[in-house]
């Protein structure tokens, strides 16, 4: 009997030790896989950020080449021509053309500078930032764009305001370029602990996640996803038979 008790004790001890070892091994494997997953996620995030940065540089280079460089080339032609003109009236007219070209160059530099670092971001609420942008963009597109917001219930950080502005900018540009929509609506719904940004249009139906995988609209959607992750917001996609609707939920941060 005593031998059976000892055998049972040692057998139980062995089983417990074995179970503990198995649990420890499983925890180690899980931690290793978790670290691997995190490293892969960080690598993917870095890759996306680099692609977005490359896209931004290419876009700025294109704007400089197609816009400002073209205006400067025209200005240079006017300056070269004025040296050969002997008619005073024609000289006066050419000087007016030069002044207009300089003014266009100035406006173009302001526009590019605004896109790189919007001056409203630093000291203004997101309502004013988006309202100002949408008023400006509505002047150059036939799409009817409206903006609606209730009163802000908390303050967003400068980073949150900048990223939300860039997200709206990217989505509105996609609507203008690709959707064939006749109207678009931007809503800000403020609650005590969170804010919902909604963008709706009546253009061609699309699936955000599917398009993101297929990259149908270039890096723009990856850019949006990166910005959403940057401010720890939540993307909400709604199914609607007549409209495209994208919603973004931004929670109130401690201290805001």
């Amino acid at each position: 009997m005593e031998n059976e008790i000892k055998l049972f004790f040692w057998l139980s001890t062995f089983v417990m030790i074995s179970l503990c070892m198995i649990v420890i091994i499983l925890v180690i494997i899980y931690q290793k896989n978790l670290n691997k997953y995190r490293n892969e996620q960080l690598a993917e995030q870095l890759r996306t950020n680099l692609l977005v940065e490359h896209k931004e540089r290419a876009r700025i280079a294109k704007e400089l080449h197609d816009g400002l460089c073209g205006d400067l080339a025209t200005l240079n032609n006017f300056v070269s021509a004025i040296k050969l003109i002997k008619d005073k009236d024609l000289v006066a007219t050419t000087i007016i053309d030069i002044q207009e070209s300089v003014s266009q160059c100035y406006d173009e530099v302001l526009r590019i500078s605004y896109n790189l670092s919007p001056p409203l971001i630093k000291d203004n609420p997101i309502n004013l930032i988006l309202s100002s942008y949408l008023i400006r963009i509505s002047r150059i597109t036939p799409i009817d764009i409206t903006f609606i917001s209730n009163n802000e219930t908390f303050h967003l950080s400068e980073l949150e305001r900048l990223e939300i502005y860039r997200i709206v900018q990217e989505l509105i540009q996609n609507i203008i370029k690709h959707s064939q929509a006749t109207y678009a609506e931007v809503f800000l719904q403020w609650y005590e602990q969170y804010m919902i940004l909604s963008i709706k249009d009546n253009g061609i139906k699309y699936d955000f996640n599917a398009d993101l995988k297929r990259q149908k609209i270039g890096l723009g959607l990856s850019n949006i996803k990166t910005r959403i992750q940057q401010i720890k917001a939540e993307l909400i996609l709604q199914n609607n038979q007549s409209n495209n609707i994208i919603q973004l939920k931004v929670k109130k941060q401690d201290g805001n």
Side-chain angles (χ1 to χ4, degrees):
M1 183 69 178
E2 183 178 351
N3 290 334
E4 291 180 354
I5 293 175
K6 286 183 179 180
L7 179 62
F8 179 76
F9 171 77
W10 288 112
L11 183 61
S12 300
T13 302
F14 174 77
V15 170
M16 290 298 296
I17 293 174
S18 299
L19 288 174
C20 288
M21 291 297 294
I22 291 172
V23 170
I24 291 172
I25 291 171
L26 289 175
V27 169
I28 292 173
I29 293 173
Y30 171 77
Q31 190 65 40
K32 185 177 180 181
N33 289 334
L34 181 61
N35 290 336
K36 181 181 178 182
Y37 172 77
R38 286 175 177 172
N39 290 335
E40 289 175 351
Q41 288 291 99
L42 288 173
E44 178 63 21
Q45 184 74 19
L46 178 59
R47 187 185 72 85
T48 301
N49 288 341
L50 290 174
L51 288 173
V52 168
E53 183 180 346
H54 176 73
K55 180 196 173 187
E56 285 294 300
R57 289 180 178 179
R59 182 184 62 80
I60 294 168
K62 186 177 185 300
E63 287 194 0
L64 289 172
H65 179 271
D66 296 346
L68 189 57
C69 288
D71 291 337
L72 288 174
T74 301
L75 183 59
N76 184 58
N77 290 335
F78 280 137
V79 172
S80 299
I82 202 171
K83 297 177 182 179
L84 305 175
I85 298 174
K86 296 181 180 181
D87 187 310
K88 291 184 178 180
D89 292 336
L90 187 54
V91 168
T93 302
T94 304
I95 289 175
I96 293 174
D97 291 336
I98 290 174
Q99 290 173 333
E100 290 179 354
S101 293
V102 170
S103 178
Q104 290 175 3
C105 289
Y106 178 77
D107 291 341
E108 185 69 12
V109 169
L110 282 181
R111 185 185 66 80
I112 295 173
S113 175
Y114 188 97
N115 286 335
L116 287 174
S117 181
L120 288 175
I121 295 294
K122 185 174 179 60
D123 300 315
N124 292 286
I126 191 65
N127 287 10
L128 179 60
I129 295 167
L130 294 184
S131 176
S132 175
Y133 166 70
L134 293 171
I135 288 173
R136 286 188 297 108
I137 205 70
S138 64
R139 293 172 183 162
I140 60 173
T141 176
I143 299 176
D144 182 21
I145 302 176
T146 60
F147 174 70
I148 301 173
S149 175
N150 59 337
N151 294 328
E152 294 189 19
T153 55
F154 57 90
H155 296 295
L156 299 173
S157 68
E158 184 175 341
L159 174 63
E160 288 173 323
R161 296 197 301 273
L162 177 60
E163 297 295 10
I164 291 171
Y165 169 77
R166 293 301 190 198
I167 290 169
V168 171
Q169 191 178 36
E170 189 74 50
L171 288 173
I172 291 296
Q173 288 300 323
N174 282 342
I175 290 171
I176 292 172
K177 293 178 181 179
H178 306 288
S179 74
Q180 300 179 21
T182 59
Y183 77 86
E185 299 175 348
V186 179
F187 300 90
L188 287 185
Q189 297 170 284
W190 293 87
Y191 301 90
E192 185 175 349
Q193 295 298 323
Y194 61 91
M195 179 269 287
I196 299 290
L197 164 68
S198 303
I199 299 180
K200 179 173 72 173
D201 72 85
N202 67 337
I204 298 171
K205 295 289 292 181
Y206 68 91
D207 184 327
F208 185 96
N209 286 327
D211 289 349
L212 181 63
K213 292 177 182 178
R214 291 194 297 266
Q215 293 291 287
K216 282 179 64 177
I217 313 179
L219 290 173
L221 298 183
S222 291
N223 195 354
I224 292 170
K225 184 178 179 181
T226 300
R227 294 187 189 282
I228 291 172
Q229 294 172 344
Q230 180 76 6
I231 59 175
K232 299 178 180 178
E234 178 184 349
L235 181 66
I236 305 171
L237 302 175
Q238 292 190 359
N239 291 323
N240 189 291
Q241 294 298 321
S242 57
N243 297 290
N244 294 305
I245 301 177
I246 292 182
Q247 291 187 320
L248 192 68
K249 183 177 181 180
V250 181
K251 294 182 180 179
K252 178 181 179 181
Q253 301 298 320
D254 295 337
N256 288 355

